[in-house]
Amino acid sequence: EATPFLIITVGFEKPFALTKAVLTASSPLTPQIEESRSATIPFNVRDNVMAGVTKEGPKIIRDYFIEIIVLFIGAASGVAGLQEFCFLAGFILLYDCLFLFTFYTATLTLKLELKRIRKAEKTIEKDEMNSSPANLGRNILMTLHDSSVDAKKYDNPMISRVKLLIIIGFLIMHVMNLCTTLHTDDDVSSAFQTAKTDVYDNPTTLPILDAILSQHQSSPKASSPLIVDVASPIIFRTVQSDVIGSQTTFLQALYKIFDTILNYWSIYVQDSVLSTLFFIGLIFSIILNCYLLNTHNQTKSNEETSDVVITPPTLNMHNQTKINEETSDVVTTSPTLNTTSHNNDSKIDPRPPKEIFDTPKPLEPIDPTVMSDEDVLLLVINGKIPQYNLEKILKDNERAVKIRRAFISHTSSTKTLKNSALPVEGYDYSKVTGVCCENVIGYIPIPVGVAGPLKIDGELFHIPMATTEGCLVASTSRGCKAINGGGGARTVVTQDMMARGPCVEFPNIIQVEKAKNWLENDGIDIIKQAFNSTSRFARLKKIKVSVAGKLLFIRFSTTTGDAMGMNMISKGCEKSLEVMNEHFPDMQIISISGNYCTDKKPAAVNWIEGRGKSVVAEAIIPGDVVKKVLKTSVEALVKLNISKNLVGSAIAGSIGGFNAHAANIVTAMYIATGQDPAQNVESSNCITLMEAIDNLVTNTKDLHITCTMPSIEVGTIGGGTILGPQSSVLEMLGVKGPHLTIPGENAKKLARIICASVMAGELSLCAALAAGHLVKSHMIHNRATVRHDQHVHISHHTHSHSNTHVISNTTSIPPVINSIENSGIENVCDSKISTPGSCLNS
């Protein structure tokens, strides 16, 4: 009798309200909006469902809560009939609430997904074919093996695995349920019989069972069988009845109802008819789920998820589709892309859309070069195209870099790279790909300053320096001025031999000793012939052999022309080791580079033996130039150099570091000229020596300075020297490419320029340290506040008490000259219009 009241109590108004809210959120305002959305933005079912649940969910949960509380109050009333009805209705409402926000919401989401898929179908016939009940069997098989091209391209492999696991779980559960329906009543009765235990021999339970049996025989139900359950002992504690109160009735009713429900379930689940019906219903659920999952796979490839779609630039359609109403012919012309190019936006230019005909055509492999950037990006995200191979596949280097930036931005946690300040346009990536860098995402603009000019061996050079360290270029310029005041710098190249040191192993030290003697005597000519045969420019000059146990280290020293020569010399070493292996078959090559070279690591062997170009630079600076330009004295410079560069470095245990800051100039010039910056480790090996010498003409002391650098590793061809900006810097120095008549002369000239520039930097820094102006100048210039309304910039390096100055902008020279004449150079240099530089003679 209470069934109608239960239906009225639970009702359908809450699912109806939730469904209405979700459908309202998924419906666009006008057909025009719907048409525009379908062209650019995918129908996002998840967001619509979340919007509907967010809107109506709190109200529905509030109503559920109030109704359940009222019903549980009725269940605690103790009134027969009302108590059971309220308890059952309350639990049905609680289950209905959980069902509404879990299974029902998921079903509603599937319904909306199917609605979205059907809207995306091209024709009604295709939609009917996919949704027809006649194709359920085919759809079930297609779920296990989806042949959809779109699904292969864009489905997440995890989705397929989840589908398969769901179906396997259904099958296992239903097979187990089917097995339970095959049990007969005899099997069930036997199972119950085996679980029973004879307790008549137990003296403790026998009197109790007799009393229960006698009581049952005297009752009106004596004709019914008596079943007694004997459980393990339970300990009870007596409490006062007034403490429990009305709680006892409620708990007893709760336990009784649950016990009744479980007992009825245990009885009916063993019924063969009901179990068969359950099994048939679950089989139907498998078929339905297979159909729904397979229908979900029919999503179009152009319906991309919101977290993958790259918003395309606006298309400016100059040529529109013309429709002839009489013949219904469609003439389509290619649209023109109108994209605004910005420096840092790294826009992705879409390709023209392809013409779509009503007649379906078999899918064919599409050339990525004609695909849109968004489609290529999706293929990269899904692993169909490796991002490191974009240049080769697209045959457009800049486009490949833009797509790679979008891919990295999509997969990174910050997602800032795509629209970051890292530039991407206007660079010749053809010279980078496969030569200088891989997985390119842009390029780093580094400011390039020029120091000097510096007179080196009678020729003036402007020194290019790529750096972000303030005062470095200005300080080097001051050193150039001081060196020029003494007639310039002189340089010599004492050695030109790049080195590579392979490591080989022999079975025992006897063989090691034989191989060492062979290399140093009879084998030297054989090895030279093999080595020199590998290149027109590589010529083996010297071999140095060292032994460590069974290991033999061979240091090949060779000329390499105008190239830095690491690849060239490695090729020669391989050939030489092959020839050596013919004379020593038991020799095993461990590594073509055994760290005996030594490359890009501090090592005494480079400091002692030299590597690359060994250069010495020399200059004599008159005493008056030291005072006027460097603002110190010859004696102070000599003393500081001994104490700092010689004694200090010796105490520190330095290897090749007997200088002030040679690495500063070497690294800045390496970056500017396209050298390997990592080789500044050994290339910065330098010892700076200063000595006071007598000037017989002026009867004063002049400064004699030398810089000895035994391992400058440079080249003017290959590597980064092929890039446009670096090549132009080499061209400015007159050392671009190979020398026309003397191989290796350009590389030697570049090494001499670097060594002389290092000497200029050493001279200026040591002078600033001797005068105590280093910290003050850096605090002024590195942290100076630039006023953009000023047209004139006065700069200095050492200190403000100077009698010389430099004007870097000549647009307002007369006012500055008047200011200098009226107030003195000290006030001009101390003014806030100063910028990093050096106070030099104008």
Side-chain angles (χ1 to χ4, degrees), residues 607 640-650 652 654-666 680-690 705-710 758-759 761-763 765-766 769:
W607 176 241
L640 179 130
N641 183 71
I642 294 174
S643 302
K644 169 185 168 62
N645 292 340
L646 302 184
V647 179
S649 297
S654 177
I655 299 176
F658 300 93
N659 57 81
H661 69 149
N664 251 337
I665 289 83
V666 170
N680 82 90
V681 177
E682 61 268 32
S683 297
S684 299
N685 285 338
C686 174
I687 180 170
T688 301
L689 299 176
M690 296 185 188
I705 179 173
T706 61
C707 283
T708 305
M709 304 181 70
V758 168
M759 185 170 63
E762 292 284 287
L763 185 61
L765 177 58
C766 290
L769 291 171

Side-chain angles (χ1 to χ4, degrees), residues 327-352:
T327 61
S328 300
D329 293 335
V330 180
V331 181
T332 305
T333 57
S334 300
T336 302
L337 296 179
N338 184 15
T339 58
T340 304
S341 176
H342 298 284
N343 186 26
N344 297 326
D345 289 345
S346 65
K347 298 261 186 176
I348 296 182
D349 301 332
R351 295 296 183 267

Side-chain angles (χ1 to χ4, degrees), residues 411-675:
T411 55
S412 65
S413 59
T414 58
K415 304 187 184 303
T416 59
L417 176 62
K418 178 176 177 292
N419 297 317
S420 65
L422 182 67
V424 63
E425 296 177 348
Y427 195 82
D428 187 5
Y429 293 103
S430 63
K431 295 182 178 180
V432 177
T433 305
V435 179
C436 298
C437 188
E438 299 80 31
N439 298 337
V440 181
I441 59 172
Y443 58 94
I444 295 290
I446 300 178
V448 180
V450 62
L454 176 60
K455 190 175 183 180
I456 306 173
D457 298 324
E459 186 178 358
L460 286 176
F461 293 95
H462 286 87
I463 310 303
M465 302 174 69
T467 181
T468 56
E469 179 182 347
C471 294
L472 179 60
V473 176
S475 177
T476 307
S477 293
R478 188 175 73 150
C480 293
K481 180 175 180 59
I483 293 174
N484 291 340
R490 295 178 295 274
T491 61
V492 293
V493 177
T494 60
Q495 180 177 277
D496 180 13
M497 288 190 296
M498 178 54 67
R500 173 63 85 191
C503 173
V504 297
E505 186 180 27
F506 292 88
N508 50 65
I509 60 173
I510 305 300
Q511 289 297 102
V512 171
E513 194 269 341
K514 290 181 180 179
K516 182 176 183 298
N517 291 335
W518 183 81
L519 285 172
E520 294 174 344
N521 297 285
D522 300 336
I524 183 65
D525 294 332
I526 300 175
I527 294 298
K528 276 187 178 182
Q529 183 179 0
F531 189 98
N532 296 341
S533 65
T534 60
S535 173
R536 293 182 300 158
F537 303 102
R539 293 296 177 262
L540 183 61
K541 298 296 183 180
K542 184 173 65 174
I543 289 180
K544 182 178 177 62
V545 184
S546 295
V547 177
K550 298 190 298 179
L551 299 176
L552 187 68
F553 294 87
I554 312 166
R555 193 171 192 264
F556 292 82
S557 298
T558 174
T559 59
T560 55
D562 284 305
M564 187 270 291
M566 287 305 303
N567 294 331
M568 186 188 304
I569 191 173
S570 297
K571 183 180 178 182
C573 289
E574 284 187 343
K575 181 64 175 179
S576 299
L577 293 180
E578 290 177 4
V579 174
M580 184 177 175
N581 206 6
E582 296 175 359
H583 293 79
F584 297 92
D586 53 356
M587 182 187 77
Q588 180 182 359
I589 301 174
I590 302 299
S591 174
I592 193 66
S593 175
N595 276 5
Y596 193 43
C597 315
T598 297
D599 189 40
K600 301 173 184 176
K601 291 169 283 293
V605 67
N606 292 334
W607 176 241
I608 299 170
E609 297 290 333
R611 189 169 190 256
K613 277 70 176 172
S614 300
V615 187
V616 182
E618 174 190 49
I620 298 176
I621 297 94
D624 59 337
V625 175
V626 173
K627 291 180 180 179
K628 291 177 62 177
V629 178
L630 302 179
K631 303 299 181 278
T632 185
S633 64
V634 175
E635 292 78 7
L637 277 174
V638 173
K639 183 176 181 180
L640 179 130
N641 183 71
I642 294 174
S643 302
K644 169 185 168 62
N645 292 340
L646 302 184
V647 179
S649 297
I651 291 176
S654 177
I655 299 176
F658 300 93
N659 57 81
H661 69 149
N664 251 337
I665 289 83
V666 170
T667 305
M669 295 189 68
Y670 269 29
I671 296 175
T673 57
Q675 311 302 314

Side-chain angles (χ1 to χ4, degrees), residues 1-52:
E1 300 85 22
T3 301
F5 297 99
L6 285 175
I7 296 176
I8 294 173
T9 302
V10 177
F12 301 99
E13 70 277 0
K14 298 178 183 66
F16 176 79
L18 180 62
T19 305
K20 182 178 179 181
V22 172
L23 294 178
T24 303
S26 64
S27 299
L29 297 178
T30 62
Q32 292 79 7
I33 297 177
E34 182 178 7
E35 184 178 356
S36 64
R37 284 184 55 184
S38 62
T40 57
I41 304 175
F43 187 78
N44 199 327
V45 174
R46 183 188 63 182
D47 293 342
N48 294 330
V49 174
M50 291 179 62

